[in-house]
Amino acid sequence: MSLPKPVMRGLLGKRLRFHLPIAFSLSLLAAVAFKYGVTEPRKQAYADFYKQYDAVKEFNAMREAGIFESVRPSGE
């Protein structure tokens, strides 16, 4: 009653043939989930923000607040 000898020859190749397709498919799944779960909503949020953003109005508000050193508020 002895234990069988472990099979070491070709073990790496056998493990790679099993684990490599799984790792590749999981990495593709993670990339697709990140693209549609993070980047697409972020791009949509930026697009929605810049549809309503008025740069001139924002500049005038900052000028009136006295943020800029080179531009005086219109009251002065």
Side-chain angles (χ1 to χ4, degrees):
M1 210 155 137
S2 64
L3 293 174
K5 286 181 73 173
V7 179
M8 301 301 274
R9 185 174 302 259
L11 185 63
L12 177 64
K14 187 191 303 184
R15 294 282 190 175
L16 281 178
R17 277 193 297 275
F18 179 74
H19 287 103
L20 199 60
I22 293 171
F24 186 71
S25 60
L26 286 177
S27 66
L28 282 178
L29 180 68
V32 168
F34 187 80
K35 177 176 173 46
Y36 290 110
V38 175
T39 59
E40 292 298 323
R42 186 178 293 175
K43 287 196 301 190
Q44 187 62 40
Y46 276 107
D48 293 342
F49 174 77
Y50 281 111
K51 281 180 189 174
Q52 301 170 3
Y53 182 69
D54 186 13
V56 175
K57 180 180 169 186
E58 193 73 25
F59 170 75
N60 288 333
M62 288 190 285
R63 182 178 68 184
E64 296 303 321
I67 293 175
F68 302 118
E69 294 179 7
S70 61
V71 180
R72 296 179 188 261
S74 61
E76 292 182 13

Coordinates of all heavy atoms in Angstrom, one line a residue:
M1 N 0.8 -1.2 0.0 CA 0.0 0.0 0.0 C 0.9 1.3 0.0 O 1.1 1.9 1.0 CB -0.9 0.0 1.2 CG -2.1 0.7 1.0 SD -3.3 0.1 2.1 CE -4.1 1.5 2.6
S2 N 1.3 1.6 -1.2 CA 2.1 2.9 -1.3 C 1.4 3.9 -2.2 O 0.6 3.5 -3.0 CB 3.5 2.5 -1.8 OG 3.4 2.0 -3.1
L3 N 1.8 5.1 -2.0 CA 1.2 6.1 -2.8 C 1.7 6.1 -4.2 O 2.9 5.7 -4.4 CB 1.5 7.5 -2.2 CG 0.9 7.8 -0.8 CD1 1.4 9.1 -0.3 CD2 -0.6 7.9 -1.0
P4 N 0.9 6.4 -5.2 CA 1.5 6.4 -6.6 C 2.4 7.6 -6.8 O 2.3 8.6 -6.1 CB 0.2 6.6 -7.4 CG -0.8 7.2 -6.6 CD -0.5 6.7 -5.2
K5 N 3.4 7.4 -7.7 CA 4.3 8.5 -7.9 C 3.6 9.6 -8.6 O 2.8 9.4 -9.5 CB 5.4 8.0 -8.8 CG 6.4 7.1 -8.1 CD 7.5 6.6 -9.0 CE 8.4 7.8 -9.3 NZ 9.6 7.4 -10.0
P6 N 3.9 10.9 -8.2 CA 3.3 12.0 -8.9 C 3.9 12.1 -10.3 O 5.0 11.9 -10.6 CB 3.7 13.2 -8.1 CG 4.9 12.8 -7.3 CD 4.8 11.3 -7.2
V7 N 3.0 12.5 -11.2 CA 3.4 12.7 -12.6 C 3.9 14.2 -12.8 O 3.1 15.1 -12.7 CB 2.3 12.4 -13.6 CG1 2.7 12.7 -15.0 CG2 1.8 11.0 -13.4
M8 N 5.2 14.4 -12.9 CA 5.8 15.7 -13.0 C 6.1 16.1 -14.5 O 6.0 17.3 -14.8 CB 7.0 15.8 -12.2 CG 6.8 15.5 -10.7 SD 5.6 16.6 -10.0 CE 6.7 17.9 -9.5
R9 N 6.3 15.1 -15.3 CA 6.6 15.4 -16.7 C 5.4 15.9 -17.5 O 4.4 15.3 -17.5 CB 7.2 14.2 -17.4 CG 7.7 14.4 -18.8 CD 8.3 13.2 -19.4 NE 9.4 12.8 -18.5 CZ 10.7 13.0 -18.8 NH1 11.1 13.6 -19.9 NH2 11.7 12.6 -18.0
G10 N 5.5 17.1 -18.1 CA 4.4 17.7 -18.8 C 3.3 18.3 -18.0 O 2.3 18.7 -18.5
L11 N 3.6 18.5 -16.7 CA 2.6 19.0 -15.8 C 2.3 20.5 -16.1 O 1.1 20.9 -16.1 CB 3.1 18.9 -14.3 CG 2.1 19.3 -13.2 CD1 0.9 18.4 -13.3 CD2 2.7 19.3 -11.9
L12 N 3.3 21.3 -16.4 CA 3.1 22.7 -16.7 C 2.3 22.8 -18.0 O 1.4 23.6 -18.1 CB 4.5 23.4 -16.9 CG 4.4 24.9 -17.3 CD1 3.7 25.7 -16.3 CD2 5.8 25.4 -17.6
G13 N 2.6 22.0 -19.0 CA 1.8 22.1 -20.3 C 0.4 21.7 -20.1 O -0.5 22.3 -20.6
K14 N 0.2 20.7 -19.2 CA -1.2 20.3 -19.0 C -2.0 21.3 -18.2 O -3.1 21.6 -18.6 CB -1.2 19.0 -18.2 CG -2.6 18.4 -18.0 CD -2.7 17.2 -17.0 CE -1.7 16.1 -17.3 NZ -1.9 15.0 -16.3
R15 N -1.3 22.0 -17.2 CA -2.0 23.0 -16.5 C -2.3 24.2 -17.4 O -3.3 24.9 -17.2 CB -1.1 23.4 -15.3 CG -1.0 22.4 -14.2 CD -2.2 22.3 -13.4 NE -1.9 21.5 -12.3 CZ -2.8 21.3 -11.3 NH1 -3.9 21.9 -11.3 NH2 -2.5 20.5 -10.3
L16 N -1.3 24.6 -18.2 CA -1.5 25.7 -19.1 C -2.6 25.5 -20.1 O -3.4 26.4 -20.4 CB -0.2 26.1 -19.8 CG 0.8 26.8 -19.0 CD1 2.1 27.0 -19.9 CD2 0.3 28.1 -18.5
R17 N -2.7 24.3 -20.6 CA -3.8 24.0 -21.6 C -5.2 24.2 -20.9 O -6.2 24.5 -21.5 CB -3.7 22.6 -22.1 CG -2.7 22.5 -23.3 CD -2.9 21.2 -24.0 NE -2.5 20.0 -23.2 CZ -1.3 19.6 -23.0 NH1 -0.3 20.2 -23.6 NH2 -1.1 18.5 -22.2
F18 N -5.2 24.0 -19.6 CA -6.5 24.1 -18.9 C -6.7 25.6 -18.4 O -7.8 26.1 -18.6 CB -6.5 23.2 -17.6 CG -7.7 23.3 -16.8 CD1 -8.9 22.8 -17.3 CD2 -7.7 24.0 -15.6 CE1 -10.1 22.9 -16.5 CE2 -8.8 24.1 -14.8 CZ -10.0 23.5 -15.3
H19 N -5.7 26.2 -17.9 CA -5.9 27.5 -17.2 C -5.7 28.7 -18.2 O -6.3 29.8 -17.9 CB -4.9 27.7 -16.1 CG -5.2 26.9 -14.9 ND1 -4.6 25.7 -14.6 CD2 -6.2 27.0 -13.9 CE1 -5.1 25.2 -13.5 NE2 -6.1 25.9 -13.1
L20 N -5.0 28.6 -19.3 CA -4.8 29.7 -20.2 C -6.1 30.2 -20.8 O -6.4 31.4 -20.9 CB -3.7 29.4 -21.2 CG -3.1 30.5 -21.9 CD1 -2.4 31.5 -20.9 CD2 -2.1 30.0 -22.9
P21 N -6.9 29.3 -21.4 CA -8.2 29.8 -22.0 C -9.1 30.4 -20.9 O -9.8 31.4 -21.2 CB -8.8 28.5 -22.6 CG -7.7 27.6 -22.7 CD -6.7 27.9 -21.7
I22 N -9.1 29.9 -19.7 CA -9.9 30.4 -18.7 C -9.4 31.8 -18.3 O -10.2 32.8 -18.2 CB -9.9 29.5 -17.4 CG1 -10.6 28.2 -17.8 CG2 -10.6 30.2 -16.3 CD1 -10.5 27.2 -16.7
A23 N -8.1 32.0 -18.2 CA -7.6 33.3 -17.8 C -7.8 34.3 -19.0 O -8.2 35.5 -18.7 CB -6.1 33.2 -17.6
F24 N -7.7 33.9 -20.2 CA -7.9 34.8 -21.3 C -9.4 35.2 -21.4 O -9.7 36.4 -21.6 CB -7.5 34.0 -22.6 CG -7.6 34.9 -23.8 CD1 -6.6 35.9 -24.0 CD2 -8.6 34.7 -24.8 CE1 -6.7 36.7 -25.2 CE2 -8.6 35.5 -25.9 CZ -7.7 36.5 -26.1
S25 N -10.3 34.3 -21.2 CA -11.7 34.6 -21.3 C -12.1 35.5 -20.1 O -12.9 36.5 -20.3 CB -12.6 33.4 -21.4 OG -12.4 32.6 -20.2
L26 N -11.6 35.3 -18.9 CA -11.9 36.1 -17.8 C -11.4 37.5 -18.0 O -12.0 38.5 -17.6 CB -11.4 35.5 -16.5 CG -12.2 34.3 -16.0 CD1 -11.5 33.8 -14.7 CD2 -13.6 34.7 -15.7
S27 N -10.2 37.6 -18.6 CA -9.6 39.0 -18.8 C -10.4 39.7 -19.8 O -10.6 40.9 -19.7 CB -8.1 38.9 -19.2 OG -8.0 38.3 -20.5
L28 N -10.9 39.1 -20.9 CA -11.7 39.7 -21.9 C -13.1 40.2 -21.2 O -13.6 41.3 -21.5 CB -12.0 38.8 -23.0 CG -10.9 38.7 -24.1 CD1 -11.3 37.7 -25.2 CD2 -10.6 40.0 -24.7
L29 N -13.6 39.3 -20.4 CA -14.8 39.7 -19.7 C -14.7 40.9 -18.8 O -15.5 41.8 -18.7 CB -15.3 38.5 -18.9 CG -16.6 38.6 -18.1 CD1 -17.8 38.8 -19.1 CD2 -16.8 37.5 -17.2
A30 N -13.5 40.9 -18.1 CA -13.3 42.1 -17.2 C -13.1 43.3 -18.0 O -13.5 44.4 -17.6 CB -12.0 41.8 -16.4
A31 N -12.4 43.3 -19.2 CA -12.2 44.4 -20.0 C -13.5 44.9 -20.6 O -13.8 46.2 -20.6 CB -11.3 44.1 -21.2
V32 N -14.4 44.1 -21.0 CA -15.7 44.5 -21.5 C -16.6 45.1 -20.4 O -17.2 46.1 -20.6 CB -16.4 43.3 -22.2 CG1 -17.9 43.6 -22.5 CG2 -15.7 42.9 -23.5
A33 N -16.5 44.4 -19.2 CA -17.3 45.0 -18.1 C -16.8 46.3 -17.7 O -17.6 47.2 -17.4 CB -17.2 44.0 -16.9
F34 N -15.5 46.6 -17.7 CA -15.0 47.9 -17.4 C -15.3 48.9 -18.4 O -15.7 50.1 -18.1 CB -13.4 47.8 -17.2 CG -12.8 49.1 -16.8 CD1 -12.8 49.4 -15.4 CD2 -12.2 50.0 -17.6 CE1 -12.3 50.6 -14.9 CE2 -11.7 51.2 -17.2 CZ -11.7 51.5 -15.8
K35 N -15.3 48.5 -19.7 CA -15.7 49.5 -20.8 C -17.1 49.9 -20.6 O -17.4 51.1 -20.7 CB -15.4 48.8 -22.1 CG -15.9 49.7 -23.3 CD -15.6 49.1 -24.6 CE -16.1 49.9 -25.8 NZ -15.9 51.3 -25.8
Y36 N -18.0 49.0 -20.5 CA -19.4 49.3 -20.4 C -19.9 49.7 -19.0 O -21.0 50.3 -18.9 CB -20.3 48.2 -21.0 CG -20.1 48.1 -22.5 CD1 -19.4 47.0 -23.0 CD2 -20.6 49.0 -23.3 CE1 -19.2 46.9 -24.4 CE2 -20.4 48.9 -24.7 CZ -19.7 47.9 -25.2 OH -19.5 47.8 -26.6
G37 N -19.2 49.4 -18.0 CA -19.6 49.7 -16.6 C -19.0 51.0 -16.1 O -19.5 51.6 -15.2
V38 N -17.8 51.4 -16.7 CA -17.1 52.6 -16.2 C -16.9 53.7 -17.3 O -17.4 54.8 -17.1 CB -15.8 52.2 -15.6 CG1 -15.0 53.4 -15.2 CG2 -16.0 51.3 -14.4
T39 N -16.3 53.3 -18.4 CA -15.9 54.3 -19.4 C -17.1 54.9 -20.1 O -17.1 56.1 -20.4 CB -14.9 53.8 -20.3 OG1 -15.4 52.7 -21.0 CG2 -13.6 53.4 -19.6
E40 N -18.0 54.0 -20.5 CA -19.2 54.5 -21.3 C -20.1 55.5 -20.5 O -20.4 56.5 -20.9 CB -20.0 53.4 -21.9 CG -19.3 52.6 -23.0 CD -19.0 53.4 -24.2 OE1 -19.8 54.3 -24.6 OE2 -17.9 53.2 -24.8
P41 N -20.4 55.1 -19.2 CA -21.2 56.1 -18.4 C -20.4 57.4 -18.2 O -21.0 58.5 -18.1 CB -21.4 55.4 -17.1 CG -21.4 53.9 -17.4 CD -20.3 53.8 -18.5
R42 N -19.1 57.3 -18.0 CA -18.2 58.5 -17.8 C -18.3 59.4 -19.0 O -18.4 60.6 -18.9 CB -16.8 58.1 -17.4 CG -15.9 59.2 -17.1 CD -14.5 58.8 -16.7 NE -14.6 58.0 -15.5 CZ -13.6 57.4 -15.0 NH1 -12.4 57.4 -15.6 NH2 -13.7 56.7 -13.8
K43 N -18.1 58.8 -20.2 CA -18.2 59.6 -21.4 C -19.5 60.2 -21.6 O -19.6 61.4 -22.0 CB -17.9 58.7 -22.7 CG -16.4 58.3 -22.8 CD -16.0 57.8 -24.1 CE -16.8 56.6 -24.6 NZ -16.2 56.0 -25.8
Q44 N -20.6 59.5 -21.3 CA -21.9 60.1 -21.4 C -22.1 61.2 -20.4 O -22.8 62.2 -20.7 CB -23.0 59.0 -21.1 CG -24.4 59.4 -21.3 CD -24.6 59.8 -22.8 OE1 -24.2 59.2 -23.7 NE2 -25.4 60.9 -23.0
A45 N -21.6 61.1 -19.2 CA -21.7 62.2 -18.2 C -21.0 63.4 -18.7 O -21.5 64.5 -18.5 CB -21.1 61.7 -16.8
Y46 N -19.8 63.3 -19.3 CA -19.1 64.4 -19.8 C -19.8 65.0 -21.0 O -19.9 66.2 -21.1 CB -17.7 64.0 -20.3 CG -16.6 64.0 -19.3 CD1 -16.1 62.8 -18.8 CD2 -16.1 65.1 -18.7 CE1 -15.2 62.7 -17.8 CE2 -15.1 65.1 -17.8 CZ -14.7 63.9 -17.3 OH -13.7 63.9 -16.3
A47 N -20.4 64.2 -21.8 CA -21.2 64.7 -22.9 C -22.4 65.5 -22.4 O -22.7 66.6 -23.0 CB -21.6 63.6 -23.9
D48 N -23.1 65.0 -21.4 CA -24.3 65.7 -20.9 C -23.8 67.0 -20.2 O -24.5 68.0 -20.3 CB -25.0 64.8 -19.8 CG -25.6 63.6 -20.5 OD1 -25.8 63.6 -21.7 OD2 -25.9 62.6 -19.7
F49 N -22.7 67.0 -19.5 CA -22.2 68.2 -18.9 C -21.9 69.3 -19.9 O -22.3 70.5 -19.8 CB -21.0 67.9 -18.0 CG -20.4 69.2 -17.5 CD1 -20.9 69.8 -16.4 CD2 -19.2 69.7 -18.0 CE1 -20.4 70.9 -15.8 CE2 -18.7 70.8 -17.5 CZ -19.2 71.4 -16.4
Y50 N -21.2 68.9 -21.0 CA -20.8 69.9 -21.9 C -21.9 70.4 -22.9 O -21.8 71.4 -23.6 CB -19.6 69.5 -22.7 CG -18.3 69.6 -21.9 CD1 -17.6 68.5 -21.4 CD2 -17.9 70.9 -21.6 CE1 -16.5 68.7 -20.6 CE2 -16.7 71.1 -20.8 CZ -16.1 70.0 -20.3 OH -15.0 70.1 -19.6
K51 N -23.0 69.6 -22.9 CA -24.2 70.1 -23.7 C -24.8 71.3 -23.1 O -25.3 72.2 -23.7 CB -25.3 69.0 -23.8 CG -25.0 67.9 -24.8 CD -26.1 66.9 -24.7 CE -25.8 65.7 -25.6 NZ -26.8 64.7 -25.4
Q52 N -24.7 71.4 -21.7 CA -25.4 72.5 -21.0 C -24.3 73.5 -20.5 O -24.7 74.6 -20.0 CB -26.1 72.0 -19.8 CG -27.2 71.0 -20.2 CD -27.7 70.3 -18.9 OE1 -27.4 70.6 -17.8 NE2 -28.6 69.3 -19.2
Y53 N -23.1 73.3 -20.7 CA -22.0 74.2 -20.2 C -21.9 75.4 -21.1 O -21.7 75.3 -22.3 CB -20.7 73.4 -20.1 CG -19.6 74.2 -19.5 CD1 -19.6 74.5 -18.1 CD2 -18.5 74.6 -20.3 CE1 -18.5 75.2 -17.6 CE2 -17.5 75.3 -19.7 CZ -17.5 75.6 -18.4 OH -16.4 76.3 -17.8
D54 N -21.8 76.6 -20.4 CA -21.6 77.8 -21.1 C -20.3 78.4 -20.6 O -20.3 78.9 -19.5 CB -22.8 78.8 -20.9 CG -22.7 80.0 -21.8 OD1 -21.8 80.1 -22.7 OD2 -23.4 81.0 -21.5
A55 N -19.3 78.4 -21.4 CA -17.9 78.8 -20.9 C -17.9 80.3 -20.7 O -17.3 80.8 -19.7 CB -16.9 78.4 -21.9
V56 N -18.6 81.1 -21.5 CA -18.6 82.6 -21.3 C -19.3 82.9 -20.0 O -18.9 83.8 -19.3 CB -19.3 83.2 -22.6 CG1 -19.4 84.7 -22.3 CG2 -18.5 82.9 -23.8
K57 N -20.4 82.3 -19.8 CA -21.2 82.5 -18.5 C -20.3 82.2 -17.3 O -20.3 82.9 -16.3 CB -22.5 81.7 -18.5 CG -23.3 81.9 -17.3 CD -24.5 81.0 -17.4 CE -25.3 81.0 -16.1 NZ -26.4 80.0 -16.1
E58 N -19.6 81.1 -17.4 CA -18.7 80.7 -16.3 C -17.6 81.6 -16.1 O -17.2 82.0 -15.0 CB -18.2 79.3 -16.6 CG -17.5 78.6 -15.4 CD -18.5 78.2 -14.3 OE1 -19.7 77.9 -14.7 OE2 -18.1 78.1 -13.2
F59 N -17.0 82.1 -17.2 CA -15.9 83.1 -17.2 C -16.4 84.4 -16.5 O -15.7 85.0 -15.7 CB -15.4 83.4 -18.6 CG -14.4 84.5 -18.6 CD1 -13.1 84.4 -18.1 CD2 -14.8 85.7 -19.1 CE1 -12.3 85.4 -18.1 CE2 -13.9 86.8 -19.2 CZ -12.7 86.7 -18.7
N60 N -17.6 84.8 -16.9 CA -18.1 86.1 -16.3 C -18.4 85.9 -14.8 O -18.1 86.9 -14.0 CB -19.4 86.5 -17.1 CG -19.0 87.0 -18.4 OD1 -18.0 87.5 -18.7 ND2 -20.0 86.9 -19.4
A61 N -18.8 84.8 -14.4 CA -19.1 84.6 -13.0 C -17.8 84.6 -12.2 O -17.7 85.1 -11.1 CB -19.8 83.2 -12.8
M62 N -16.7 83.9 -12.8 CA -15.4 83.9 -12.1 C -14.8 85.3 -12.1 O -14.1 85.7 -11.1 CB -14.5 82.9 -12.7 CG -14.9 81.5 -12.5 SD -13.6 80.3 -13.0 CE -13.9 80.3 -14.7
R63 N -15.0 86.1 -13.2 CA -14.5 87.4 -13.3 C -15.1 88.3 -12.2 O -14.4 89.1 -11.5 CB -14.7 88.0 -14.7 CG -14.1 89.4 -14.8 CD -14.3 90.0 -16.2 NE -15.7 90.2 -16.4 CZ -16.2 90.6 -17.5 NH1 -15.4 90.8 -18.6 NH2 -17.5 90.8 -17.7
E64 N -16.4 88.2 -12.0 CA -17.1 89.0 -11.0 C -16.7 88.6 -9.6 O -16.8 89.4 -8.7 CB -18.6 88.9 -11.2 CG -19.1 89.4 -12.5 CD -18.8 90.9 -12.8 OE1 -18.8 91.7 -11.8 OE2 -18.4 91.2 -13.9
A65 N -16.4 87.3 -9.4 CA -15.9 86.9 -8.1 C -14.5 87.3 -7.8 O -14.1 87.3 -6.6 CB -16.0 85.4 -8.0
G66 N -13.8 87.9 -8.8 CA -12.4 88.4 -8.5 C -11.4 87.3 -8.5 O -10.3 87.4 -7.8
I67 N -11.6 86.2 -9.2 CA -10.6 85.1 -9.2 C -9.4 85.4 -10.0 O -8.3 85.1 -9.6 CB -11.3 83.8 -9.7 CG1 -12.4 83.4 -8.7 CG2 -10.3 82.7 -10.0 CD1 -13.2 82.2 -9.2
F68 N -9.6 86.1 -11.1 CA -8.5 86.4 -12.1 C -7.7 87.7 -11.6 O -8.3 88.6 -11.2 CB -9.0 86.6 -13.5 CG -9.8 85.4 -14.0 CD1 -11.1 85.5 -14.3 CD2 -9.2 84.1 -14.1 CE1 -11.8 84.4 -14.8 CE2 -9.8 83.0 -14.6 CZ -11.2 83.1 -14.9
E69 N -6.4 87.6 -11.8 CA -5.6 88.8 -11.5 C -5.5 89.7 -12.7 O -5.4 90.9 -12.6 CB -4.2 88.4 -11.1 CG -4.2 87.7 -9.7 CD -2.8 87.3 -9.4 OE1 -1.8 87.7 -10.1 OE2 -2.6 86.6 -8.4
S70 N -5.6 89.1 -13.9 CA -5.4 89.9 -15.1 C -6.7 90.5 -15.7 O -6.6 91.4 -16.6 CB -4.8 89.0 -16.2 OG -5.6 88.0 -16.5
V71 N -7.8 90.2 -15.1 CA -9.1 90.7 -15.6 C -9.8 91.3 -14.4 O -10.1 90.6 -13.4 CB -10.0 89.6 -16.2 CG1 -11.3 90.1 -16.7 CG2 -9.2 88.9 -17.4
R72 N -10.2 92.5 -14.6 CA -10.9 93.2 -13.5 C -12.4 92.9 -13.6 O -12.9 92.7 -14.6 CB -10.7 94.7 -13.6 CG -9.3 95.1 -13.4 CD -9.2 96.6 -13.5 NE -7.8 97.1 -13.5 CZ -7.2 97.5 -12.5 NH1 -7.8 97.7 -11.3 NH2 -5.9 97.9 -12.5
P73 N -13.1 92.9 -12.4 CA -14.5 92.7 -12.4 C -15.2 93.9 -13.1 O -14.6 95.0 -13.2 CB -14.9 92.7 -11.0 CG -13.7 92.3 -10.2 CD -12.5 92.8 -11.1
S74 N -16.3 93.8 -13.7 CA -16.9 94.8 -14.5 C -17.4 96.0 -13.6 O -17.6 97.1 -14.1 CB -18.2 94.3 -15.2 OG -19.1 93.8 -14.3
G75 N -17.5 95.8 -12.3 CA -17.9 96.9 -11.4 C -16.8 97.9 -11.1 O -17.0 99.0 -10.7
E76 N -15.5 97.5 -11.4 CA -14.4 98.4 -11.1 C -14.0 99.2 -12.3 O -14.0 98.9 -13.4 CB -13.2 97.6 -10.7 CG -13.4 97.0 -9.3 CD -12.2 96.2 -8.9 OE1 -11.1 96.4 -9.5 OE2 -12.3 95.4 -7.9

